Structure formats: C-alpha cells, structure tokens
Amino acid sequence: SPSWSRGVATDRLRTARLLLRRAECRDLDDLHAVFTRPEAMRYWSTPAHDSTAQTRDWLNGMIAAPPDVSDDFVIELAGRVVGKVGAWRLPEIGFILHPDHWGKGLAREALEAVIPHLFAQHETDRLTAETDPRNTASNGLLKRIGFRQTGSALRTMQWGEEWCDSLYFALDRSDWQQR
C-alpha cells in the first residue's frame, strides 16, 4: 500500500514498483518521450507534441500549478519517468503512460496510490474523470477501481480535425473507503 500522511504535504508516494513524485525540469526528456507518441496521446486533450518546447511548456505548467487546485505526480519506474497521474485541476484526475508500459498494471498501481492521497489532502468528496468512449482500456480501469459513469456528451472536444465525445466518471469518497 502507498505511504502517505493525512494533512501533510506529500511530495512522494511509493508503491511496490513505482515512485510517484512532483515533476521537475529534469523530467523533460522522459515526458517528451511520452507526449510525442501518437498512440499515447490518442485520447489526451491535445495531439502528440511536435516539439520539445511544447512539452517544456506543459511541464512548466505542471510544476507551477497551484497546490490548492492541482495535485499531480510523475510516474517513475526504475529511475525513469514513464507517465503522470493525479489531479491537474481538482477534482478531475487523469493519467498517461508511455505505450511501452501499457498492460502491466502500472496505471492501476499509480491510481490506487494517488486516490487515497487526494481524498486525504483535499476537501473533496468526489473525484471525477473524463474519457473518450473509444478508450476502452482507461474506461475499464476506472470502472475496476470503483468509478461509475455519470454521463456522456457528444462532440465535446476537437482533437486535430476530429470531434470527440466524452464519458464522465465519478468516485465518491465514501465508495472508495468502503472498498
């Protein structure tokens, strides 16, 4: 189980295989390796990054985000950053992994560490997530860890030239605690 303390600002969460920590400027190359992969970015809010500057801007935004509205971590595996997990804007959570690490349970492991942290650190009774209906892997993962679908909408985001739909999920604090 992850290590964290209620009411104390936590910069690191450890799991069996992962270190979740705050983003740093030195993470640029590893994160750029994730954000330039079209298959990783397929259901993200933007198409794949086409420049290091674009990833640097994204990373700088993550680093500078105010802690009262953002509680985000990079996912480190064996000394390399392979993704990110957390709440860019509370109470909405998100996650992304480099495709080389898909299907190994890492996203679930990261979420199961960050969810109790978010509930312990923030005055929110519900976490939310938004996904593309075609993102069956993420949709299934959210359901397996206790999120329930609360709605859907058509044409919510334009990704490149394509309009995408959205599914909305929620996880109540009380449901998480009863797991």
Side-chain angles (χ1 to χ4, degrees):
S1 87
S3 57
W4 50 274
S5 304
R6 183 171 182 79
V8 176
T10 304
D11 290 333
R12 295 174 177 266
L13 303 172
R14 292 194 181 274
T15 71
R17 297 179 289 176
L18 305 173
L19 170 63
L20 308 181
R21 62 170 175 76
R22 301 303 176 189
E24 300 173 5
C25 294
R26 67 182 169 104
D27 299 326
L28 177 62
D29 291 341
D30 285 346
L31 286 170
H32 191 63
V34 175
F35 285 100
T36 55
R37 294 291 295 264
E39 65 274 37
M41 299 296 284
R42 179 66 185 102
Y43 302 116
W44 197 249
S45 56
T46 64
H49 291 186
D50 56 13
S51 70
T52 304
Q54 188 177 8
T55 305
R56 183 180 295 110
D57 289 346
W58 182 90
L59 176 59
N60 288 340
M62 184 177 178
I63 292 169
D68 58 326
V69 297
S70 179
D71 199 344
D72 234 351
F73 296 87
V74 294
I75 302 170
E76 191 175 297
L77 173 68
R80 297 292 307 263
V81 172
V82 298
K84 86 105 196 160
V85 65
W88 165 243
R89 288 293 179 258
L90 285 158
E92 185 175 346
I93 66 163
F95 51 95
I96 189 169
L97 275 178
H98 190 285
D100 289 352
H101 301 286
W102 290 356
K104 300 176 183 177
L106 297 178
R108 182 177 187 144
E109 191 172 322
L111 284 166
E112 288 181 340
V114 84
I115 289 169
H117 162 81
L118 293 172
F119 280 135
Q121 298 297 319
H122 302 281
E123 298 285 326
T124 184
D125 288 324
R126 171 181 276 196
L127 297 175
T128 63
E130 179 182 352
T131 66
D132 187 299
R134 299 167 296 179
N135 189 349
T136 56
S138 291
N139 296 334
L141 172 57
L142 289 169
K143 290 175 184 175
R144 284 191 303 279
I145 63 172
F147 279 79
R148 66 187 190 308
Q149 187 178 333
T150 58
S152 63
L154 301 175
R155 296 174 55 92
T156 55
M157 181 177 65
Q158 190 170 2
W159 192 89
E161 298 299 315
E162 175 187 15
W163 278 98
C164 301
D165 302 336
S166 290
L167 296 180
Y168 301 102
F169 292 88
L171 175 64
D172 291 333
R173 178 189 297 265
S174 59
D175 292 339
W176 178 258
Q177 291 170 336
Q178 291 174 11
R179 289 181 75 218

